[in-house]
Amino acid sequence: MSISTDPHIDRGKRAPAGRGAWGLAAAGLSLIAVCYGLARFSYGLFVPIFREQFALGGATAGAIASGSYAAYCIAIVLAMLLTPRWGGRSVAVAAGLVATAGTLVVALAPNAAVLAAGVIIAGASTGVASPPLAHAVTRAVPGPRRDRVQTVINAGTGVGVAVAGPVALLTHEHWRLAWLAFAALCALVTLWALRSVPGPRVEVREAEGPTSLPRPLLPLGSGRLISAALLMGASSAAIWTFGRDLLVTEGGMSGQASTLGWIVLGIFGVLGAGAGDLAQRIGLRAGWGAGMLALALSTSLLAAWPGIIGPAWAALAGFGAAYIALTGFLLLWGTAVHARHPALGVGTAFLMVALGQALAAPVIGALGVAGHDVVDTA
C-alpha cells in the first residue's frame, strides 16, 4: 500500500491504494447518485405529476426548482467551510442524511408548501456532498489515480438519474412510493459512506488553521472558472427543470416514453466518467468547448422536436453525456485552481453552476407561461 507524498496529509495514516481507492470511488459515486440523481434532479422527472396533483403553474414549478438550487448554494458554502474542520466522512454522511430527510418530506407532502420544503431540503444535499468527496479523494488517493477517481464519482449523477427513471415507471402515478424508495436508498448509501469515506485523520494540515480562509481567496484563474460555471449552470436549467414536462405537455409524448427518455439521459450521463481521461488527452480547454457545444445542440434539438422520440431521446442522451462531462471538467478545473484547498475549488465551481440554474429556472418557467399565453390569444 503506497503512502501519499502530499505534505499536508497526516503521516500516520496511509492513503488508500488499489482496492481501497476504488472502494471510496464506489461509495462516493453512490452518494452523488442519490443526492444529485434522486434527491435533486428527480424533481424534473416528476414535474408533470406534481403540477397535476398540487395545481402548480409553470412559474411556480420553476420557483420551486429555483429554491432547490438556492438551498444548494447555501449548503455548498457551509460544506466548503466545514469540511476542513469536520473531515470528509462527517460532511459526506451529513449530505446523505439531508438527502434522506428531503426525499422523505416530498414523499409525505400533503400540500404544495410542504412539497416545496422537501424539494428544497433534498436539493441542499447536493451542495453538502461534492466538497467533502473531492477533499477526501485529493487527500487520500495517490496522484496517478486521482483524476480518474474524481470523475468516476462525479458520474454518479447519471447513475442516479438512470435509477430514478425505472422507479418512476414502476410506480407510475403512485409517486409517493417512488420518493419513499428514494429515501430508503439515500439512507442505505449514507451508511455506506460512513464506512468507506476516510475519517478525519487523513486531512489537510494548514499552517493558518483548519477554518481559516485561504490566501489568496481567488487565485489566478478563478475568474474564468466562475464565469464558465455560471454560464454552464444557466444553460442546463431548462432540461433539468422542464425537460420531461416539455416532452409531455408540448410534445404530447406518453408518460412511459418520456420517462424512458429520462433513463436514456442518465445512462449516457455515465459516459461523463471518462472526463478525466478525455481531459488528459485533449486538454480542459478543448474538452470544455466541445461539451458546451454539445449542451447547446442537445437543448436546441429537444426544443425543436419534443414530440418525436428519435430526436428527443438523442437530445437527452447528448445532454446527459455533455452535462456530466462538463461537471467533471469543472471538478478537475476547480481542484487545479485551488490545489491546496480542493473542497473550496470544487465548491466554488459547483456553487456557480447552481447559481446559474437558480437564476435561469424561474425565468424559463415564466417565459414558458408567457409563450402559452401568446399562443392562446393568437
Side-chain angles (χ1 to χ4, degrees):
M1 185 177 290
S2 62
I3 300 176
S4 173
T5 57
D6 191 326
H8 303 292
I9 292 181
D10 187 341
R11 297 294 186 181
K13 292 289 178 180
R14 293 177 182 269
R19 186 177 302 174
W22 292 111
L24 171 59
L29 179 145
S30 299
L31 184 64
I32 293 297
V34 297
C35 289
Y36 280 83
L38 303 186
R40 182 178 173 191
F41 289 134
S42 283
Y43 171 71
L45 179 62
F46 286 87
V47 161
I49 190 67
F50 286 160
R51 291 184 65 171
E52 178 183 336
Q53 292 283 311
F54 296 101
L56 302 178
T60 302
I64 292 174
S66 181
S68 174
Y69 297 139
Y72 174 101
C73 294
I74 297 170
I76 203 166
V77 171
L78 292 175
M80 286 189 288
L81 296 175
L82 293 176
T83 295
R85 172 180 284 275
W86 290 4
R89 177 192 294 166
S90 297
V91 181
V93 169
L97 293 174
V98 173
T100 303
T103 50
L104 188 60
V105 170
V106 171
L108 302 177
N111 52 52
V114 177
L115 172 72
V119 171
I120 289 170
I121 294 169
S125 70
T126 52
V128 184
S130 294
L133 291 175
H135 179 93
V137 171
T138 300
R139 302 304 176 189
V141 176
R145 296 187 183 92
R146 194 171 296 148
D147 285 357
R148 182 172 294 173
V149 171
Q150 293 277 30
T151 52
V152 165
I153 289 175
N154 185 66
T157 300
V159 175
V161 171
V163 169
V167 172
L169 276 178
L170 291 172
T171 56
H172 195 45
E173 294 183 356
H174 303 290
W175 59 269
R176 294 185 188 275
L177 292 178
W179 285 81
L180 284 172
F182 293 164
L185 286 171
C186 289
L188 290 173
V189 170
T190 301
L191 293 175
W192 190 3
L194 180 63
R195 292 178 56 87
S196 302
V197 177
R201 291 294 182 183
V202 186
E203 290 301 335
V204 63
R205 296 289 187 262
E206 296 294 347
E208 62 266 30
T211 60
S212 299
L213 292 176
R215 290 187 292 269
L217 183 60
L218 297 176
L220 185 66
S222 296
R224 289 192 297 272
L225 173 67
I226 288 171
S227 59
L230 189 67
L231 178 62
M232 180 259 185
S235 302
S236 65
I239 286 184
W240 278 130
T241 306
F242 297 105
R244 184 167 180 262
D245 190 50
L246 178 70
L247 297 178
V248 174
T249 59
E250 296 295 330
M253 196 174 290
S254 69
Q256 183 177 23
S258 62
T259 303
L260 287 171
W262 200 260
I263 297 171
V264 168
L265 185 157
I267 291 172
F268 277 82
V270 177
L271 296 177
D277 292 333
L278 183 62
Q280 289 181 353
R281 291 192 176 191
I282 67 173
L284 275 174
R285 179 174 302 200
W288 182 263
M292 286 298 290
L293 179 61
L295 197 73
L297 290 175
S298 59
T299 303
S300 300
L301 182 62
L302 189 69
W305 292 291
I308 305 176
I309 287 179
W313 285 12
L316 291 171
F319 176 85
Y323 182 88
I324 303 303
L326 286 167
T327 54
F329 292 145
L330 282 178
L331 193 154
L332 300 179
W333 193 353
T335 54
V337 171
H338 295 265
R340 291 172 60 86
H341 300 83
L344 178 64
V346 173
T348 299
F350 285 10
L351 170 63
M352 291 300 108
V353 171
L355 183 59
Q357 291 168 332
L359 294 173
V363 175
I364 295 167
L367 289 174
V369 172
H372 281 299
D373 290 342
V374 170
V375 172
D376 291 342
T377 57

